[in-house]
């Protein structure tokens, strides 16, 4: 008897934690749309949902009625067997056709409005997005900016993304801004969204296509800023301070270490020196790293401790990522040197940070 109850309760035990993870308020909820594309997609979802309610009530109501009304009773004989009922079959064909048309018309209208390729105007923000295992490259061809994992856009503008991949298929998804679109090697996929005035804040996104290893940690943020803050962010990139000699000895040590440890062999650091452009395109650009909110594609907040922990042992923070471990576990200089590199990286562009968005997160997590 207890076993039977256990068995009956098992769906509840499975569903309860699953449903408990659902939220209308979370940082990635489609029920809190920002901008016309996400609003359009939510409206379409709700319209379909409202249409499905009478279908569900009708079907389950009829089912329960038949089960109760025509259940087998003691002494019942075999009922008369029949086949087909033209009136019911006509109704059961016409009603679904009407429902499908009612779903199809707004769907097609929405697809043409939100999924068509748009020709950028001078007012739009165009960004080339490249997915890599397991981070995001954001390039602004009109502004000459290359950065990683944090997409900055001014509020109230239309943003046009060209999506491509440097390796496998990824998918760009910032649920509060727009539906997901795949990033496929050698294919120029496009996604656009816009934001409302007054929507400044941080909107969370992540890769939505299983891309092996650290897929679950392939996150990004869309930083929607007021125009003046966005302009300041752009200016910081277009004229990064060249740190030839840092006053802080720890920063100076870190600056020396990113060269001697080989960091700049993979990562471009625009601030490193005016005429030096090391790094390779398939690794995150660290220019103005001090303006970032996170490290490791959104895995950790970019605090000095976290950045140092990331540099010290990246595999323990984000298993599978491509960062090598540069210190032996028992290297006596490991803590000191990783702290110095963190101090240096966080100093890049940080003194020019006028966006002050670290505290302005509206996205939760
Ligand atoms: Cu990239 Cu999943």
């Amino acid at each position: 008897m207890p076993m039977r109850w256990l068995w009956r309760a098992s769906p509840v035990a499975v569903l309860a934690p699953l449903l408990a993870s659902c939220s209308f308020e979370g940082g990635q909820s489609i029920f809190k749309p920002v901008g016309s594309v996400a609003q359009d997609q939510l409206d379409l979802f709700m319209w379909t949902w409202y249409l499905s309610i009478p279908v569900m009530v009708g079907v389950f109501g009829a089912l329960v009625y038949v089960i109760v009304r025509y259940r087998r009773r003691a002494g019942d004989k075999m009922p008369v067997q029949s086949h087909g009922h033209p009136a019911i079959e006509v109704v059961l064909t016409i009603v679904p056709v009407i429902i499908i048309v009612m779903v199809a018309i707004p769907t097609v209208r929405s697809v043409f409005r939100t999924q068509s390729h748009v020709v950028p105007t001078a007012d739009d923000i165009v960004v080339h997005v490249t997915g890599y295992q397991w981070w995001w490259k954001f390039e602004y061809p009109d502004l000459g900016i290359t950065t990683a994992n944090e997409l900055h856009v001014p509020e109230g503008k239309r943003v046009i993304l060209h999506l491509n991949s440097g390796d496998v298929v990824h998918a760009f998804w910032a649920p509060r801004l727009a539906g997901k679109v795949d990033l496929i090697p050698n294919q120029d996929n496009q996604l656009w969204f816009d934001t409302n005035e007054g929507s400044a804040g941080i909107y969370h996104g992540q890769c939505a296509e299983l891309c092996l290893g650290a897929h679950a940690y392939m996150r990004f943020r869309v930083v929607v800023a007021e125009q003046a803050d966005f302009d300041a962010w752009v200016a910081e990139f277009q004229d990064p301070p060249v740190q030839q000699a840092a006053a802080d000895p720890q920063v100076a040590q870190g600056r020396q270490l990113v060269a001697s440890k080989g960091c700049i062999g993979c990562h471009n650091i625009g601030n490193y020196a005016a005429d030096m452009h090391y790094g390779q395109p398939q690794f995150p650009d660290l220019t103005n790293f001090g303006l970032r909110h996170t490290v490791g594609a959104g895995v950790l907040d970019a605090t000095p401790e976290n950045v140092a922990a990331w540099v010290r042992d990246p595999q323990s923070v984000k298993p599978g990522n491509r960062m090598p471990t540069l210190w032996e576990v028992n290297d006596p200089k490991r803590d000191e040197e990783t702290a110095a590199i963190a101090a240096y990286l966080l100093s890049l562009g940080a003194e020019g940070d006028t966006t002050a968005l670290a505290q302005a997160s509206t996205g939760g997590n």
Side-chain angles (χ1 to χ4, degrees):
M1 193 64 175
M3 278 307 289
R4 188 185 299 170
W5 278 108
L6 214 58
W7 177 246
R8 285 180 185 169
S10 62
V12 178
V14 172
L15 280 175
L18 279 178
L19 290 173
S21 64
C22 296
S23 165
F24 294 99
E25 295 301 319
Q28 300 192 93
S29 173
I30 64 161
F31 295 100
K32 289 171 71 184
V34 172
S36 69
V37 172
Q39 186 64 54
D40 196 305
Q41 291 169 342
L42 177 61
D43 291 345
L44 186 60
F45 174 85
M46 294 310 294
W47 169 243
T48 311
W49 162 243
Y50 290 138
L51 274 178
S52 68
I53 291 175
V55 174
M56 187 185 77
V57 171
V59 169
F60 282 100
L63 184 68
V64 170
Y65 173 78
V66 168
I67 289 171
V68 174
R69 173 75 176 76
Y70 298 103
R71 69 188 186 279
R72 189 177 180 189
R73 295 180 174 85
D76 277 357
K77 296 196 175 64
M78 174 66 81
V80 178
Q81 301 295 297
S82 66
H83 176 77
H85 190 301
I88 291 179
E89 286 176 15
V90 167
V91 170
L92 287 185
T93 304
I94 289 176
V95 170
V97 166
I98 292 171
I99 293 172
I100 288 171
V101 169
M102 289 171 75
V103 173
I105 289 174
T107 300
V108 171
R109 198 166 55 198
S110 178
V111 165
F112 275 90
R113 202 189 82 72
T114 64
Q115 307 296 305
S116 299
H117 270 237
V118 291
V119 179
T121 67
D123 219 26
D124 295 330
I125 303 295
V126 177
V127 184
H128 288 228
V129 181
T130 312
Y132 291 93
Q133 291 172 314
W134 290 273
W135 62 282
W136 305 84
K137 177 157 72 182
F138 298 123
E139 293 170 289
Y140 300 68
D142 302 331
L143 302 172
I145 291 175
T146 299
T147 186
N149 302 325
E150 290 177 19
L151 174 64
H152 286 244
V153 298
E155 66 179 7
K157 289 283 180 68
R158 185 167 67 169
V159 180
I160 301 171
L161 305 180
H162 290 272
L163 305 170
N164 212 312
S165 171
D167 38 48
V168 301
V169 178
H170 305 275
F172 183 97
W173 193 27
R176 293 186 63 192
L177 299 169
K180 61 188 84 154
V181 173
D182 278 2
L183 298 86
I184 298 168
N186 302 316
Q187 182 171 318
D188 179 27
N189 280 356
Q190 198 192 74
L191 164 69
W192 71 268
F193 63 87
D194 53 20
T195 57
N196 320 324
E197 290 290 343
S199 60
I202 293 173
Y203 300 93
H204 295 251
Q206 64 185 66
C207 180
E209 178 70 50
L210 184 59
C211 54
L212 302 178
H215 155 72
Y217 292 126
M218 188 170 165
R219 301 175 191 162
F220 62 90
R221 292 178 174 203
V222 181
V223 180
V224 180
E226 290 175 17
Q227 186 68 48
D229 290 336
F230 177 76
D231 292 342
W233 180 83
V234 170
E236 192 66 30
F237 270 86
Q238 292 180 335
D239 188 19
V242 178
Q243 302 201 351
Q244 295 292 6
D248 183 332
Q250 192 185 32
V251 170
Q253 182 192 6
R255 181 173 186 281
Q256 187 269 323
L257 281 165
V258 297
S260 62
K261 283 289 182 180
C263 307
I264 56 173
C266 293
H267 299 281
N268 181 53
I269 303 176
N271 314 52
Y272 196 78
D275 55 349
M276 282 189 190
H277 288 282
Y278 292 111
Q280 300 171 50
Q282 72 271 33
F283 299 108
D285 192 305
L286 301 181
T287 303
N288 284 338
F289 182 86
L291 298 179
R292 302 241 186 109
H293 304 109
T294 66
V295 63
V299 174
L300 295 174
D301 288 337
T303 64
E305 299 75 29
N306 285 345
V307 175
W310 169 257
V311 174
R312 186 166 57 232
D313 187 4
Q315 295 304 322
S316 73
V317 178
K318 182 171 170 176
N321 83 85
R322 301 282 164 84
M323 272 271 285
T325 303
L326 298 172
W327 288 265
E328 299 289 342
V329 175
N330 54 9
D331 186 331
K333 291 184 171 172
R334 188 168 76 144
D335 289 343
E336 178 205 330
E337 292 185 342
T338 52
I341 289 177
Y344 167 67
L345 292 175
L346 288 168
S347 76
L348 298 172
E351 71 275 17
D353 185 4
T354 56
T355 58
L357 276 161
Q359 278 76 43
S361 172
T362 60
N365 54 33

